[in-house]
Amino acid sequence: MPQASIREVAKRAGVSVGTVSNVLNRPDRVAEETRARVLSAIEELSFVRNESARRLRQGPPAKTRAFSVVLRDVANPYYTDVAQGAEAAMDAEGADLIWCTSNGSPSKELRFLQRLAEQRVAGVLITPVGLDADQIAWLHAEHIAVVVLDRKPQAADVCSARVDHVAGGEIAVDHLLGLGRERIVFVTGRPESEPGHDRRDGAARALARAGAGELVTLVQDTMTATAGQEAAGRLLDRVAMPFAVFCANDLLAIGVINELLRREVKVPQEVAVIGYDDIELAGTAAVPLTTVRQPRHELGRVSAGLALTEAAEGVDHRHEHIVLTPELIVRSSA
């Protein structure tokens, strides 16, 4: 939850803000009884020190040029590509970008946000896990710009930048239908993220529009190349060839192709495969991967621009919502 301010601590302890400052920085100057009251208030309110006391002595803080990007999974090349796009845009403006990884954990995400607030970063770009409207309001109250990255924002008063993943799912399946493949399986991971859900919805919409039946979904525990190999084995046991596979990301698709080739299944003649993201490995796979390219660096760049603008404009900033369009990259796998 949002952390208490130094003024709230002072009010709870019945002392001045200056006294709280001395407890934080020069406790030897504060009477033991008063110090105990302040420390008790700090504990009760879960106060996170952000060097407020020092800055109160020095006057208004100089505007910081440090921002942060909080990623869900730094091991996924997609997220690192987005962050690199943001970092390049920040660097061009003389700002620094701190990378953090939540690993899909809401508690870890919140812990990072608390630490970033303590360090008084100017803004946060985040692919959220547990971020909610209250936490966004808290960050704004701390004068921290917030940009929700690759997700639909849960609050109206926050900037966002994302890709139209429903359109991406439609693009992939329209291509497969154009190849004459009507038995199409969507391979994804759990828990399914909002982008994965949107890709599945777009794929199902394209099938329904063509009157080609329902989309079959196969769910793996993760979205790695290893999970893709496992998915290929499961598919060969249950789906008559020829068929097509649309994977929620490129890592899954590369794993599917690797296992199909190991089992001497011809790609794309017997099984066509499409991925999603267009990571660097996609074009160099054993069978170069047809995929839906996300404008990853552009997504990072525009997100950084939103954060820089909000940090500069402060309370006068008008929140923006930017939606980018993916594109099909046709190679050999489908």
Side-chain angles (χ1 to χ4, degrees), residues 84-114:
Q84 286 171 349
E87 189 169 53
M90 291 288 184
D91 187 60
E93 296 297 325
D96 296 324
L97 188 68
I98 303 166
W99 291 31
C100 304
T101 309
S102 68
N103 290 326
S105 167
S107 61
K108 188 174 182 181
E109 175 185 83
L110 178 57
R111 189 162 68 249
F112 274 127
L113 292 175
Q114 290 169 346

Side-chain angles (χ1 to χ4, degrees), residues 107-266:
S107 61
K108 188 174 182 181
E109 175 185 83
L110 178 57
R111 189 162 68 249
F112 274 127
L113 292 175
Q114 290 169 346
R115 290 175 182 173
L116 293 168
E118 178 182 348
Q119 295 302 315
R120 309 228 6 200
V121 298
V124 174
L125 289 65
I126 181 169
T127 49
V129 181
L131 185 74
D132 58 26
D134 288 342
Q135 291 170 358
I136 290 171
W138 155 57
L139 291 168
H140 283 160
E142 295 290 328
H143 307 292
I144 296 173
V146 181
V147 178
V148 173
L149 186 60
D150 205 28
R151 299 291 187 275
K152 301 182 187 76
Q154 298 302 308
D157 57 343
V158 64
C159 285
S160 67
R162 63 185 179 87
V163 174
D164 186 347
H165 296 296
V166 173
E170 289 183 295
I171 290 168
V173 169
D174 281 341
H175 178 69
L176 292 172
L177 290 170
L179 298 176
R181 302 297 173 93
E182 294 191 357
R183 282 198 297 276
I184 300 174
V185 180
F186 179 62
V187 178
T188 187
R190 66 165 63 91
E192 190 176 37
S193 65
E194 177 188 305
H197 184 272
D198 285 353
R199 292 165 199 172
R200 178 165 53 84
D201 280 356
R205 181 182 300 179
L207 276 174
R209 185 170 58 240
E214 295 184 1
L215 183 72
V216 176
T217 300
L218 184 68
V219 181
Q220 294 293 123
D221 288 334
T222 63
M223 292 177 62
T224 63
T226 300
Q229 289 180 288
E230 295 172 354
R234 293 173 62 191
L235 288 170
L236 291 175
D237 290 338
R238 59 191 285 187
V239 183
M241 290 189 284
F243 63 93
V245 181
F246 170 35
C247 293
N249 74 1
D250 286 346
L251 292 176
L252 281 169
I254 290 169
V256 167
I257 289 173
N258 289 344
E259 183 63 16
L260 292 174
L261 295 180
R262 192 184 71 81
R263 298 189 181 210
E264 299 183 347
V265 175
K266 295 178 181 179

Side-chain angles (χ1 to χ4, degrees), residues 6 27 48 53 68 72 81 116 121 123 140 171-172 183 198 211 231-232 238 247 268 280 295 306 308 312 327-328:
I6 194 171
V48 174
S68 179
R72 290 175 66 97
D81 286 349
L116 293 168
V121 298
H140 283 160
I171 290 168
R183 282 198 297 276
D198 285 353
R238 59 191 285 187
C247 293
E280 185 177 359
L306 290 173
L308 287 162
E327 62 175 318
L328 182 70

